[in-house]
Amino acid sequence: MKAFREMKMSFDSSSDNEAFARAAVAAFILPLDPTVAELGEIRTAVSEAVTNCVVHAYNGSRGIINMSVKIDADGTVCIKIRDSGCGIDDIDKAMEPLYTTSPDSERAGLGFAVMQSFSDSMKVRSAPGHGTTVTLVRRLSPRVSNV
């Protein structure tokens, strides 16, 4: 299905930009009149994806994060967050709850589990040395007009 609305943006992998990414997606989907819960869940999923780029993909160094958001005519939101970082060797292992590549840090290893729980579908594509793309799809509840 062709996108009804679309936006693309790129930003530095600074942790300061996690809030920026959340706010940008939230502002873009506001015309769909999402519930407070839907908005919060989407913001959280985006935050987790961007955090993974900052912490794991670029491992403290700087890089670019690319984000695109498409809204279909039926209100389905598709968010892609892509980095050009180190990539993931074993996606299935990385998606296991509590698995972390940084066991000595304060990381819980729940990023992918959180993203998945707040999405209708999630896809992760990655190649070592070539980066990772996380695609989150969420259908927003249809809003009933009282008019």
Side-chain angles (χ1 to χ4, degrees):
M1 182 182 293
K2 186 175 178 174
F4 178 66
R5 294 180 61 218
E6 182 176 3
M7 77 149 184
K8 293 180 181 182
M9 60 191 299
S10 299
F11 48 92
D12 185 62
S13 65
S14 166
S15 62
D16 294 338
N17 284 330
E18 293 167 33
F20 170 67
R22 287 192 309 263
V25 171
F28 188 71
I29 67 170
L30 272 179
L32 297 176
D33 196 21
T35 66
V36 171
E38 289 170 332
L39 194 58
E41 290 171 357
I42 290 170
R43 287 171 45 95
T44 300
V46 167
S47 182
E48 290 295 332
V50 171
T51 297
N52 277 357
C53 295
V54 171
V55 172
H56 301 292
Y58 294 116
N59 198 22
S61 63
R62 292 295 172 108
I64 298 296
I65 299 170
N66 297 290
M67 184 169 69
S68 68
V69 183
K70 294 180 183 179
I71 300 172
D72 290 341
D74 68 354
T76 299
V77 178
C78 179
I79 304 164
K80 287 188 180 185
I81 298 171
R82 181 174 49 88
D83 65 67
S84 298
C86 64
I88 301 171
D89 290 323
D90 185 343
I91 294 172
D92 291 334
K93 183 75 173 168
M95 291 180 71
E96 289 178 9
L98 305 179
Y99 174 79
T100 180
T101 58
S102 305
D104 296 331
S105 70
E106 294 183 22
R107 302 291 167 193
L110 294 172
F112 282 131
V114 168
M115 286 182 255
Q116 198 164 31
S117 71
F118 290 149
S119 304
D120 292 318
S121 68
M122 180 181 82
K123 182 177 181 181
V124 179
R125 294 185 61 204
S126 188
H130 297 283
T132 302
T133 301
V134 174
T135 304
L136 308 167
V137 176
R138 178 72 185 258
R139 277 174 225 78
L140 297 179
S141 303
R143 307 296 279 180
V144 178
S145 174
N146 293 330
V147 181

